[in-house]
Amino acid sequence: MTATPVHSADATTTRRLSLRTRVLTGAVAAAALGAGTFGAVSANASTPAAPAAAPAASSDTADRDLQRTSHLTIDAATKAAKAALDAAEKENQHVSVAVVDRDGNTLVTLRGDGAGPQSYESAEKKAYTAVSWNAPTSDLVKRLEQAPNLKDIPGTLFLAGGVPVKAGSAPVAGIGVAGAPSGDLDEKFARAGVAALGR
């Protein structure tokens, strides 16, 4: 007695679908290839070439309304303030030191031991004044002779002791020192802060 192979209906259906699928896929591919070739030949024969797409806007164009500025890092501001305070302490002077950024925002303030209560705010105002005019406040005091109402601008203090910190010729920060017996000493200590940054 010989065994007769048994085919399930599912296996036969799968085989038929596979054959049908292959035939249909081949026919569709041939039709698409023929149509594509015909379409390409027709387009080349009768239609002028389309203009190249415009390049996407560059980031330079997109950013033309933005302005970039440089600012001191908090580490650099702290280093400058500490150097100014150390310079004052070496001369036994009790001062406060402030460092402001390019926009006049306070980054760091240090009030030395024994510094007077007025020195803290004065140091901030000197730093703000120096960065606003990109000049030492000792130079700005001389401008008051021609324009005395400069001193009325809020937040400013036209006394020696403030110096700008520059990157190239542009101010990136201001250092103000207050509390020494003279503005010349305050400015000397502020310059020590600038020197610590290699500026």
Side-chain angles (χ1 to χ4, degrees), residues 24-40:
L24 286 173
T25 303
V28 169
L33 181 60
T37 302
F38 176 75

Side-chain angles (χ1 to χ4, degrees), residues 13-34:
T13 305
T14 303
R15 215 177 284 135
R16 280 189 207 139
L17 287 176
S18 295
L19 181 58
R20 282 185 196 153
T21 303
R22 284 184 287 191
V23 170
L24 286 173
T25 303
V28 169
L33 181 60

Side-chain angles (χ1 to χ4, degrees), residues 1-159:
M1 186 172 188
T2 58
T4 306
V6 179
H7 297 288
S8 71
D10 289 341
T12 304
T13 305
T14 303
R15 215 177 284 135
R16 280 189 207 139
L17 287 176
S18 295
L19 181 58
R20 282 185 196 153
T21 303
R22 284 184 287 191
V23 170
L24 286 173
T25 303
V28 169
L33 181 60
T37 302
F38 176 75
V41 170
S42 297
N44 286 336
S46 61
T47 309
S58 70
S59 61
D60 289 341
T61 303
D63 292 343
R64 70 175 169 248
D65 294 331
L66 301 178
Q67 183 177 15
R68 290 179 175 82
T69 59
S70 298
H71 296 269
L72 284 186
T73 64
I74 191 68
D75 289 340
T78 302
K79 178 180 179 179
K82 186 75 172 103
L85 189 62
D86 288 347
E89 288 177 349
K90 283 179 186 171
E91 296 193 27
N92 205 23
Q93 298 300 317
H94 308 288
V95 300
S96 290
V97 180
V99 180
V100 301
D101 69 12
R102 173 63 188 100
D103 300 318
N105 301 307
T106 303
L107 295 172
V108 177
T109 53
L110 297 176
R111 184 171 179 264
D113 294 334
Q118 80 290 352
S119 65
Y120 187 89
E121 185 178 352
S122 295
E124 285 184 326
K125 287 183 175 183
K126 288 179 182 183
Y128 177 81
T129 306
V131 77
S132 296
W133 275 272
N134 191 22
T137 51
S138 59
D139 291 351
L140 297 173
V141 171
K142 298 168 191 167
R143 293 188 194 179
L144 290 177
E145 295 169 9
Q146 286 80 33
N149 40 344
L150 278 179
K151 68 182 181 315
D152 299 330
I153 296 173
T156 61
L157 184 59
F158 289 85
L159 295 175

